């Protein structure tokens, strides 16, 4: 594994190895046996604002012995129209790796191709692989190692956003049952479903059917970053898919509600449900550090070989 560009591009074994390493690095936090990023500088190139992603990467890089360098696109020439391939070829000669949080998936892939350095997708409109790894890590902490393989996981809300697509690829690679519950116009198009080609991913417009028997119920904001102009015209379709106590009555016993944050209480999730599952939801956020440290260490080792 030379880069982390998407869950789609990972194998099941690579995901399992990252989870195992994430658990190990979390357990030894503060007294790591080695520092795989020692002497290295990693750039965080962000076109989108962030709390969890920026902080977790800065902390993770530092704890592994590296130096994080935050670069907002407004502060570098990308913001003035320099092609991503030119920025990549410059930075590839100066730094040791990069995590990129932007809109287009192609930007991350082009940077990786032209820079020649390990590149991490820290979020695009297409996928959010780091969050999925943190979520799987959290599931294993709550339910046991590999527990996802025997459970049904649900995602309700926008069934065609970066989180739902990353969950679909995780289901494809790991073999667990995933139900996507979303309005008709917010389910993946047929071309994507054919490309996914995964019988254990179920699509439904019935939120109850999606959640029925699920051990983990995921949701996300209804308006992703950059979609704010759609406002109420989009949100009105999603209220039947709100994660609330009534909907969760159909879930499996001992279920958990997940949210990648930030959350809009009273929209995709109610205040009482979020607070009830706050220990889980904020553990997800914490585990971004440990999942990403596993990615960073793996890429540093692979690119050093």
């Amino acid at each position: 594994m030379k880069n982390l560009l998407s869950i789609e591009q990972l194998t099941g074994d690579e995901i399992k190895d990252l989870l195992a390493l994430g658990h190990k690095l979390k357990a030894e936090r503060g007294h790591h046996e080695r520092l795989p990023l020692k002497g290295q500088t990693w750039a965080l190139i962000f076109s989108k604002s962030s709390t969890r992603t920026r902080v977790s990467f800065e902390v993770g890089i530092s704890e592994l012995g590296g130096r994080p360098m935050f670069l907002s696109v407004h502060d570098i020439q990308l913001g003035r129209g320099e092609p991503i391939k030119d920025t990549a070829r410059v930075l590839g000669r100066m730094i040791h790796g990069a995590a990129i949080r932007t809109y287009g998936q192609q930007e991350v892939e082009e940077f990786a191709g032209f820079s020649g350095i390990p590149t991490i997708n820290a979020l695009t409109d297409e996928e959010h692989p780091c969050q999925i790894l943190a979520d799987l890590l959290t599931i294993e902490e709550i339910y046991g190692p590999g527990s996802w393989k025997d459970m049904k996981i649900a995602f309700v809300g926008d069934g065609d956003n970066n989180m739902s697509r990353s969950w679909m690829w995780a289901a494809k690679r790991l073999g667990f049952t995933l139900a996507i519950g979303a309005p008709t116009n917010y389910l993946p198009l047929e071309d994507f479903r054919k490309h996914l080609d995964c019988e254990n991913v179920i699509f439904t417009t019935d939120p109850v059917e999606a959640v029925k028997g699920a051990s983990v119920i995921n949701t996300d904001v209804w308006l992703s970053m950059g979609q704010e102009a759609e406002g109420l015209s989009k949100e009105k379709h999603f209220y039947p898919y709100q994660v609330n106590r009534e909907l969760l009555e159909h879930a499996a016993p001992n279920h958990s509600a997940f949210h990648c944050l930030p959350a809009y209480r009273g929209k995709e999730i109610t205040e009482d449900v979020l607070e009830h599952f706050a220990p889980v939801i904020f553990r997800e956020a914490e585990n971004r550090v440990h999942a990403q440290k596993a990615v960073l260490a793996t890429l540093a080792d692979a690119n050093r070989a």
Side-chain angles (χ1 to χ4, degrees):
M1 188 176 102
K2 297 291 188 178
N3 302 288
L4 176 64
L5 305 181
S6 65
I7 296 295
E8 178 184 0
Q9 294 181 9
L10 294 178
T11 67
D13 285 342
E14 286 174 330
I15 294 172
K16 293 173 189 175
D17 287 346
L18 289 170
L19 295 178
L21 182 55
H23 289 302
K24 179 178 183 294
L25 292 174
K26 184 173 183 177
E28 65 179 34
R29 188 180 190 187
H31 49 91
H32 290 306
E33 296 176 359
R34 63 189 190 92
L35 300 174
L37 270 59
K38 185 176 181 180
Q40 295 190 5
T41 299
W42 282 62
L44 307 179
I45 305 170
F46 283 30
S47 299
K48 293 185 174 186
S49 59
S50 167
T51 299
R52 282 152 293 278
T53 301
R54 176 176 177 178
V55 173
S56 58
F57 267 111
E58 290 202 11
V59 169
I61 291 167
S62 298
E63 291 187 358
L64 292 177
R67 175 179 178 269
M69 175 190 294
F70 181 76
L71 300 172
S72 164
V73 294
H74 304 296
D75 299 327
I76 59 178
Q77 295 300 328
L78 276 176
R80 297 180 61 196
E82 181 175 59
I84 189 76
K85 62 183 179 182
D86 289 354
T87 299
R89 284 182 284 201
V90 169
L91 294 182
R93 288 162 168 78
M94 298 180 179
I95 60 175
H96 301 89
I100 304 177
R101 180 179 172 91
T102 188
Y103 294 90
Q105 178 73 19
Q106 182 58 36
E107 294 177 48
V108 177
E109 296 184 2
E110 191 172 351
F111 184 95
F114 280 95
S115 69
I117 58 176
T119 302
I120 299 172
N121 175 354
L123 177 144
T124 65
D125 289 346
E126 184 67 27
E127 275 213 42
H128 197 357
C130 293
Q131 183 65 57
I132 297 301
L133 293 171
D135 288 356
L136 290 168
L137 199 69
T138 306
I139 290 172
E140 290 195 328
E141 286 185 339
I142 296 170
Y143 297 101
S147 50
W148 32 263
K149 66 185 176 184
D150 297 319
M151 66 172 53
K152 176 183 178 182
I153 296 174
F155 187 97
V156 291
D158 188 345
D160 195 28
N161 68 7
N162 51 11
M163 281 295 295
S164 57
R165 282 190 290 269
S166 291
W167 269 115
M168 285 182 251
W169 286 113
K172 167 93 173 182
R173 299 294 178 243
L174 296 174
F176 59 80
T177 299
L178 175 71
I180 303 291
T184 301
N185 292 338
Y186 296 94
L187 287 169
L189 297 176
E190 191 61 30
D191 284 350
F192 178 86
R193 297 193 204 187
K194 288 181 179 179
H195 177 54
L196 180 70
D197 187 26
C198 184
E199 293 182 355
N200 47 292
V201 176
I202 303 160
F203 301 99
T204 179
T205 58
D206 184 349
V208 171
E209 184 63 28
V211 168
K212 188 175 181 180
S215 298
V216 174
I217 298 86
N218 287 274
T219 192
D220 191 10
V221 294
W222 295 335
L223 293 173
S224 296
M225 204 173 298
Q227 298 179 341
E228 290 82 3
E230 298 180 41
L232 294 176
S233 64
K234 180 179 180 181
E235 287 183 344
K236 66 183 181 181
H237 299 285
F238 290 107
Y239 277 100
Y241 301 86
Q242 181 187 72
V243 177
N244 53 40
R245 289 199 177 275
E246 291 73 23
L247 183 62
L248 293 179
E249 287 177 0
H250 303 279
N254 194 30
H255 62 267
S256 298
F258 277 42
H259 196 305
C260 61
L261 301 175
Y264 292 90
R265 293 161 171 81
K267 292 189 176 182
E268 73 273 5
I269 190 169
T270 57
E271 170 81 18
D272 61 330
V273 168
L274 189 146
E275 290 301 328
H276 179 75
F277 290 103
V280 172
I281 291 169
F282 289 96
R283 186 191 292 196
E284 287 179 80
E286 173 194 352
N287 280 339
R288 289 289 300 277
V289 172
H290 311 297
Q292 288 162 192
K293 283 169 72 173
V295 172
L296 290 161
T298 299
L299 294 183
D301 289 342
N303 285 275
R304 189 179 292 115

